[in-house]
Amino acid sequence: MKIPNSCRDISGLLLAREDRSLSFGERLALRVHILTCRACQRFEKQTLTLRGALRAWRAHQDHDDPPDSR
Amino acid sequence: MHTPQTGIDMQELARRIDALRPTLLRLAQLQLRNPAWAEDAVSETVLAVLQGAQRFNGTSQLKTWIVGILKHKVLDQLRLHAREPTLADTGDDGEDDLDELLFKGNGHFREMPEHWADPCSELQRDQFFAVLEACLDHLPNRQGRVFLMREWLEIDSRVICQELDIAPTNLWVQLHRARLRLRECLQSNWFGAAPR
Ligand SMILES: [Zn+2]
């Protein structure tokens, strides 16, 4: 298997991580690349921000009663 | 019908359901992307809520309980229509220009990804959620359905494959594209947009 090492590959892993668990090799490649790549560090932060935002959105939709029905 | 001590007043319940209806419909439509199916899911939810009202435990939030039922009814609709061509439609997500937009031929980012500030602070949360929903709504139907199955229904990827009878690689591709597209939409319309 080809070792993922371009920013395209690594950002792909960062997105895939939201939906499946990465293999050991994938996690290793991710760590090594991200250590030295500012762009992928930023991209990773974006995916984490989006993860939190989606969680907040879901909680808002599923649980908060709109103020007018309190 | 008698009003049980631990249950909820039926008139009050009807009023609350009425108030929630637009929200339920919006969520069902976002997931199902078909107004008729969304209507069905909401009608069945309301029916189930009225039938189950005796069992409603007044200490748990009413909306939490109702949306929980809605999620089941929405999933029923997805199952019911899983084999229909409208659900398996193609052609809306075949292109890869998102990758082209983001990366150069050698796999490097064309532009440095921007720093994203937390969008969920008290002040701007509602505005952000409106933009987020617009972006979700904008996803091609097939991508939007699987993405919301993951992020709203919170279904495991493996189970989504079973429910929709699709191969895991197919699902990964759909989700990958949905996430890239959503990221791009939010970058353009929220994070990178002019100050609000
Ligand atoms: Zn990189």
Side-chain angles (χ1 to χ4, degrees), chain A residues 21-62:
Chain A
S21 41
L22 303 183
S23 72
F24 177 75
E26 287 172 329
R27 289 204 304 272
L28 190 67
L30 182 70
R31 289 248 174 129
V32 169
H33 178 99
I34 261 193
L35 220 53
T36 57
C37 179
R38 293 256 305 143
C40 285
Q41 286 169 15
R42 280 274 184 83
F43 193 90
E44 178 178 35
K45 278 203 148 179
Q46 290 185 351
T47 62
L48 296 178
T49 301
L50 189 53
R51 186 193 293 175
L54 284 164
R55 188 184 301 136
W57 174 77
R58 190 166 57 228
H60 181 74
Q61 298 313 321
D62 294 359

Side-chain angles (χ1 to χ4, degrees), chain A residues 69-70, chain B residues 8-18 62:
Chain A
S69 72
R70 285 243 158 91
Chain B
I8 182 168
D9 174 68
M10 289 308 272
Q11 254 182 333
E12 167 69 2
L13 181 63
R15 199 187 65 77
R16 297 284 294 277
I17 292 174
D18 245 21
L62 186 69

